[in-house]
Amino acid sequence: MAGAAATPCGRLHAVQARIARAVAEAGRDPAAVRLLAVSKTFGAAVVGGLAACGQREFGENYVQEALEKQAVLRDVSLVWHFIGPIQSNKTRAIAEHFSWAHSVDRLKIAERLSAQRPAGLPPLQVCIEVNVSGEASKGGVSLAELPALAEAVAKLSGLQLRGLMAIPAPTPDVVEQRVAFRQVREQFDALRARGYALDTLSMGMSGDLEAAILEGATIVRVGTALFGERTKNA
Ligand SMILES: *Cc1c(COP(=O)(O)O)cnc(C)c1O
C-alpha cells in the first residue's frame, strides 16, 4: 500500500469502504455491521492511533497483552472484546476487564465467566464459537453440541448470550467462504427460531469479510487490513 491508504486512518477508511460495498451488495442496513479492530501483537500506541481515527471497538487474543494496553489507554473510551481461546485460569481477568467474549465453546468456561463477572458491571456479552470446518484441533463447539451449550449458556446470569462466532478454515475461494459462513448463519437462525434473542454473528476477517457480510455477519473482526502483517507468530 502507498500514500494515504498506508496511514492508520487511511487503512481504517479503506476497510470501512470494503464493509460499505459489501453491505450495499447484500442490500443490508449499514448500521447492522460493526468493525472490530483486532489489535493482537500491536502495542498501545498503535491502538491509540486507530482510536484517534474514530475506531472504538478492539479485539484481543491474549489476556496479559490486552491488560497492559488497557492500562495505558484507560482514559480513552474503548470497548474491549476477548476473541482468543479461553483457558480456565484466564476467565477471571476476562470477566473483569472485557465487555465481550466471542470464543466461548465449553460450559465450564461459561460458568466461570458468569460466576466471576463483577456484580457492578453489566453481564458479559458472549458469543458461542462454532467449529464449522470440523477440524478437531480447532476451537469451537461442534454443530451437534451447539443447541445444548446455547441452552445452558443462556441461563447464566452473569452472561448475555448475543450470538455465534466462527473462524472457518481460510480459503481464497469466495464460494467456499460463503458456504462456511452460511452454515453459521443457519445455526443462528435455528436458535432464533427456538426463541433465543440473538443479534450477533461475529464472522469475517481481513481475507473474507465480504463473504461474511453477504451471509449476515454483524461484527467483522479485522486485523491485518487495519494494522498490516503481524510479525509475531500469532
Ligand atoms: C487474528 C484474528 C482475527 C484477525 O485476522 P486478520 O486476518 O488479521 O484480519 C480475527 N479473529 C480472530 C479470532 C483472530 O484471532
Side-chain angles (χ1 to χ4, degrees):
M1 277 187 287
T7 68
C9 297
R11 284 199 282 238
L12 176 61
H13 296 150
V15 170
Q16 288 169 336
R18 281 178 64 187
I19 293 170
R21 275 195 300 275
V23 164
E25 188 184 339
R28 298 180 55 200
D29 174 1
V33 182
R34 314 216 299 279
L35 171 61
L36 180 62
V38 176
S39 41
K40 64 178 173 223
T41 80
F42 292 96
V46 175
V47 173
L50 203 67
C53 308
Q55 177 65 26
R56 285 285 163 265
E57 298 192 87
F58 288 86
E60 290 282 341
N61 294 57
Y62 309 105
V63 173
Q64 195 52 44
E65 183 193 320
L67 297 188
E68 288 166 17
K69 289 178 226 184
Q70 290 176 354
V72 175
L73 296 164
R74 65 187 170 277
D75 294 332
V76 187
S77 168
L78 301 177
V79 180
W80 295 93
H81 297 237
F82 192 81
I83 63 171
I86 305 178
Q87 293 155 357
S88 296
N89 62 351
K90 297 288 164 40
T91 53
R92 181 174 298 281
I94 294 168
E96 291 180 352
H97 296 283
F98 287 81
S99 297
W100 285 72
H102 291 226
S103 39
V104 172
D105 64 357
R106 283 182 289 152
L107 182 55
K108 183 186 156 208
I109 292 294
E111 287 172 340
R112 289 176 65 94
L113 290 169
S114 177
Q116 293 167 342
R117 182 68 170 172
L121 293 180
L124 184 66
Q125 308 297 298
V126 301
C127 293
I128 293 176
E129 181 179 351
V130 295
N131 183 346
V132 277
S133 305
E135 294 166 48
S137 61
K138 286 201 10 194
V141 67
S142 69
L143 299 187
E145 292 167 312
L146 173 61
L149 181 59
E151 184 177 355
V153 170
K155 289 183 182 139
L156 296 172
S157 61
L159 309 182
Q160 183 172 357
L161 179 59
R162 296 290 297 269
L164 303 179
M165 182 272 232
I167 315 171
T171 164
D173 183 328
V174 177
V175 174
E176 281 178 33
Q177 291 172 4
R178 289 191 64 170
V179 167
F181 291 133
R182 193 172 313 142
Q183 278 183 281
V184 186
R185 211 248 339 269
E186 285 167 1
Q187 300 298 318
F188 176 77
D189 289 343
L191 290 171
R192 280 167 51 103
R194 298 241 277 294
Y196 296 95
L198 307 183
D199 62 4
T200 302
L201 264 177
S202 168
M203 57 189 197
M205 318 201 311
S206 295
D208 55 14
L209 68 88
E210 286 85 359
I213 288 170
L214 286 167
E215 296 298 340
T218 68
I219 297 180
V220 290
R221 308 177 313 268
V222 177
T224 308
L226 289 172
F227 298 112
E229 295 289 339
R230 290 177 289 276
T231 49
K232 286 182 223 168
N233 186 17

